[in-house]
Amino acid sequence: MTALGRRAPALTGALSWLTSPKTLEGLRLQAFLVPIGIVFAVLFAIPLAQSLYFSVTDFNGYSLDVNFVGLENYRKIFTDPSMLAGLGFTLLYAIGTTVIVTVLAIPLAVLLNKRFFGRNVVRAVFFFPAIPSIAILGLVWGFILSPLGSGAINWLLDAVGGFGPVPWLSDGTLAQLSVIVVAVWSSTGWHAILYLAYLQSIPGDYYEAARVDGASPRQSFFRITLPLLAPAITVSSLLLMTGGLKVYDLPYTLTKGGPGYATFTITQSIIQSGIAQAKFGQASALAVVFMLVVGAIVAVQLVLSRRLEDRVS
Amino acid sequence: MRKQRSSPLLSLLMILAAAVVGVPFYYIVVNTFKTQAETSSSPLAPPTSLYLDNYIRVFENTPILQSFLNTLYVTVASIVIMLVIGSMAAYAMLLRHTLVNRVIAVLLVIAFLVPGQATLIPVYRILVELELVDTLEGLVFLYAAGSIFCYFLIQGYLRSLPISIFEAARIDGAGPWQIYWRIVLPLIRPILITVGVFQTMWIWNDFITPNVFISSPDKQTLVLQVYKAVGQYSVDWPAFMTLSVIVLIPVVIFFVAMQRHIVNGLLQGSVKG
């Protein structure tokens, strides 16, 4: 009784703090963060912790006898031919599409920024391939590149040059090339529109002054346009690179990852070994390595482009 | 500023280039009006007559309407949920700068950078536990992860508004919920549309999630249905093209109606992303 009596002031103090209008309002406001907190916990934090845990155990999804195996799963990734192939093609795809799309999208944006008849329609046509699902476009391209008579490209090669059919999707190197070409086809216009927005913010006076000073169009492009596009290049190449590393839909629908493992991707590898074959440990190790690779590449790319931007400005 | 002259040569060049880029779409559309024999003998020729059997056959053999409704349900539910969660979080973060909230902000940035592949296997197991594998609600649950992206864009937009609006409402005695419903949501409508359009494209077009999590034919989304139909129509090319065209029609309508918002989303998303 006395103990309770002594505690009472502190208790009422805490109660009055809890029930004060200011605290209450603060708590009610804090409640707005509960939903995103649940999303964060259930879809990010807990699964990520589990991925890390699975990656150092021999957990197979069924057996309750789980053992710590250290880095064994990580060692296995680098000796598994399919995972190595997936790693290789994913890197090739990410770097290939980033470089090719950037090299094509910048000049395309410059041209789309000029005045010409039909400009709006041309812009829309270039932009459109990025709008539908790339999975459906991958399937459609599978038919276009088919070696059969109805495959448009081989039909055209036969009609024009009398040769073919070229095994676009059944030869390893050609399949890799085909996947990258279709990706470039679908995303160049999208990135050109991104560059276009940045181009439109460059004051026309700059070009006027350069022209008065006798600069050639080539010089204006390299001395004015390109440096002022540096922030856009950072953004666009970062999107291409991260998107490229996460690629799954296009190679999967166009070539199923084949022939052999020629166009196999990391994502396909994670799904196949982790869900279809229940090799949780190895798939989780690959997922962790993948996350670190993506993080490292993004970090390097950000540092490099920051430097580049500093140098040109 | 000197007004640029329109150049006929450039125009010709660009129209030709655009035609090359557009050929695949021409190819699939013309082949929907051909018989199989016509498709294999002259795949790029325009159709000789208005042949509509492919459309009739595809509608009879494929439950397109069911898949369309599935996709619509998943997309609408996911977009509403992620916009609500994202905007609620952005609003609370704007008005409360406590230490806890600053930590939360950092955690959300990290979560945003984690690729979905890194969490895929445990998330699959969580869905199995919740008995949400092979359900449309399971897809909605997974797409709620997009709330974090919405949160970033909405927060950026909220910051550009004068904070005095919310202060004034508070002094007038409005509670947090009232301010959120009556003031915040109407004010952030432009960014909600931009983010909504952008995320709609993601969910509507997504292939990896339905492909991993959906197996029942009656729960397929449109994209998954086209993928599954490749086997069914592997010899019947015109039927496959027809199905693709039918599935692409809503996308084309969406593109034409929302082009401005799509470009906005592309720019804002790229600035944040």
Side-chain angles (χ1 to χ4, degrees):
Chain A
M1 199 63 201
T2 46
L4 196 74
R6 224 180 302 145
R7 226 181 268 161
L11 209 71
T12 49
L15 262 178
S16 71
W17 176 81
L18 260 177
T19 51
S20 84
K22 201 169 151 50
T23 319
L24 269 182
E25 198 189 301
L27 283 177
R28 276 160 73 197
L29 204 51
Q30 198 69 20
F32 278 75
L33 287 169
V34 169
I36 210 160
I38 295 172
V39 168
F40 174 77
V42 178
L43 291 168
F44 292 94
I46 296 170
L48 194 59
Q50 285 184 325
S51 278
L52 289 168
Y53 170 73
F54 291 157
S55 77
V56 291
T57 62
D58 61 357
F59 181 61
N60 63 8
Y62 308 105
S63 164
L64 290 171
D65 181 29
V66 180
N67 301 302
F68 178 73
V69 295
L71 297 178
E72 176 63 18
N73 289 320
Y74 289 88
R75 197 188 56 76
K76 273 195 202 146
I77 301 175
F78 293 99
T79 50
D80 182 326
S82 71
M83 287 191 173
L84 278 180
L87 219 56
F89 177 67
T90 306
L91 284 175
L92 176 74
Y93 175 90
I95 296 169
T97 51
T98 304
V99 171
I100 300 171
V101 170
T102 306
V103 167
L104 292 177
I106 296 176
L108 178 62
V110 171
L111 292 178
L112 290 176
N113 198 24
K114 291 188 195 301
R115 263 164 56 95
F116 60 88
F117 171 75
R119 184 170 74 172
N120 287 340
V121 175
V122 168
R123 279 184 187 171
V125 172
F126 273 104
F127 189 51
F128 184 71
I131 307 299
S133 165
I134 189 69
I136 293 180
L137 297 179
L139 296 170
V140 167
W141 272 92
F143 285 89
I144 295 176
L145 294 168
S146 162
L148 298 176
S150 8
I153 294 203
N154 279 321
W155 178 85
L156 201 68
L157 287 177
D158 185 48
V160 175
F163 62 88
V166 178
W168 296 112
L169 303 174
S170 45
D171 172 82
T173 314
L174 281 177
Q176 294 182 332
L177 183 75
S178 301
V179 172
I180 292 173
V181 167
V182 173
V184 167
W185 167 79
S186 85
S187 49
T188 299
W190 175 271
H191 286 270
I193 297 294
L194 182 87
Y195 283 115
L196 186 61
Y198 281 81
L199 277 180
Q200 285 167 342
S201 68
I202 300 177
D205 306 3
Y206 288 17
Y207 295 103
E208 186 66 10
R211 206 179 52 84
V212 170
D213 288 347
S216 68
R218 211 183 114 89
Q219 280 174 317
S220 325
F221 176 76
F222 282 103
R223 300 285 171 80
I224 302 172
T225 312
L226 216 48
L228 287 173
L229 280 184
I233 296 174
T234 304
V235 165
S236 159
S237 62
L238 206 62
L239 286 174
L240 283 164
M241 199 68 186
T242 49
L245 291 169
K246 293 179 199 168
V247 68
Y248 169 77
D249 297 11
L250 179 60
Y252 189 77
T253 51
L254 189 58
T255 59
K256 276 260 180 186
Y261 288 112
T263 56
F264 204 58
T265 58
I266 298 178
T267 306
Q268 199 181 341
S269 186
I270 293 173
I271 293 173
Q272 188 176 307
S273 54
I275 291 170
Q277 303 169 353
K279 285 197 243 166
F280 286 99
Q282 211 176 323
S284 300
L286 183 62
V288 172
V289 168
F290 174 67
M291 184 177 69
L292 295 177
V293 169
V294 172
I297 289 181
V298 169
V300 167
Q301 211 177 0
L302 274 180
V303 170
L304 281 181
S305 44
R306 195 62 51 77
R307 287 234 181 106
L308 199 72
E309 278 174 43
D310 286 349
R311 244 174 67 193
V312 294
S313 63
Chain B
M1 194 180 138
R2 192 175 59 126
K3 194 141 186 160
Q4 257 184 343
R5 263 185 328 116
S6 164
S7 147
L9 188 69
L10 179 67
S11 191
L12 187 70
L13 186 85
M14 293 307 280
I15 290 172
L16 277 176
V20 171
V21 167
V23 156
F25 295 106
Y26 163 81
Y27 170 75
I28 53 173
V29 172
V30 292
N31 281 300
T32 63
F33 301 111
K34 294 184 197 170
T35 61
Q36 285 188 58
E38 279 178 284
T39 297
S40 36
S41 62
S42 47
L44 288 173
T48 47
S49 62
L50 192 64
Y51 176 77
L52 293 173
D53 284 16
N54 294 321
Y55 283 89
I56 297 165
R57 199 163 66 250
V58 167
F59 271 112
E60 275 172 359
N61 296 337
T62 343
I64 299 178
L65 187 64
Q66 175 72 52
S67 308
F68 178 80
L69 293 176
N70 290 346
T71 315
L72 193 68
Y73 168 67
V74 170
T75 307
V76 171
S78 306
I79 296 293
V80 169
I81 289 175
M82 70 172 81
L83 287 181
V84 168
I85 296 180
S87 60
M88 280 172 67
Y91 162 62
M93 289 293 225
L94 181 79
L95 294 186
R96 259 176 80 86
H97 307 275
T98 56
L99 182 67
V100 176
N101 284 2
R102 262 176 283 166
V103 173
I104 294 176
V106 174
L107 290 178
L108 290 178
V109 173
I110 296 171
F112 182 60
L113 294 175
V114 171
Q117 283 85 343
T119 51
L120 185 67
I121 296 160
V123 161
Y124 185 84
R125 291 174 48 80
I126 292 173
L127 247 72
V128 172
E129 294 282 303
L130 296 173
E131 293 183 5
L132 284 174
V133 170
D134 199 24
T135 64
L136 297 177
E137 289 71 26
L139 294 181
V140 175
F141 176 78
L142 292 169
Y143 290 133
S147 325
I148 295 185
F149 177 77
C150 296
Y151 153 75
F152 282 116
L153 289 197
I154 296 169
Q155 190 214 28
Y157 188 85
L158 266 179
R159 285 234 182 101
S160 68
L161 300 174
I163 199 160
S164 54
I165 302 174
F166 312 116
E167 294 294 327
R170 211 170 56 85
I171 290 162
D172 288 346
W177 272 105
Q178 268 178 309
I179 299 179
Y180 174 72
W181 279 112
R182 301 258 175 86
I183 298 169
V184 174
L185 281 184
L187 273 176
I188 61 173
R189 243 179 70 119
I191 193 74
L192 291 181
I193 294 172
T194 302
V195 187
V197 165
F198 208 66
Q199 299 289 66
T200 297
M201 285 175 53
W202 165 46
I203 297 173
W204 192 275
N205 289 335
D206 189 35
F207 170 67
I208 183 167
T209 320
N211 190 38
V212 171
F213 291 93
I214 297 292
S215 48
S216 311
D218 62 324
K219 286 171 190 147
Q220 284 171 355
T221 61
L222 285 170
V223 173
L224 189 63
Q225 182 169 58
V226 175
Y227 174 71
K228 299 283 184 194
V230 170
Q232 186 188 345
Y233 294 129
S234 60
V235 280
D236 191 353
W237 287 30
F240 176 78
M241 301 294 169
T242 307
L243 178 61
S244 305
V245 167
I246 296 168
V247 170
L248 288 179
I249 288 170
V251 177
V252 173
I253 295 171
F254 182 79
F255 175 66
V256 172
M258 296 288 168
Q259 205 179 350
R260 182 169 297 274
H261 295 296
I262 296 173
V263 174
N264 262 339
L266 156 71
L267 295 176
Q268 306 224 20
S270 66
V271 171
K272 294 285 156 188

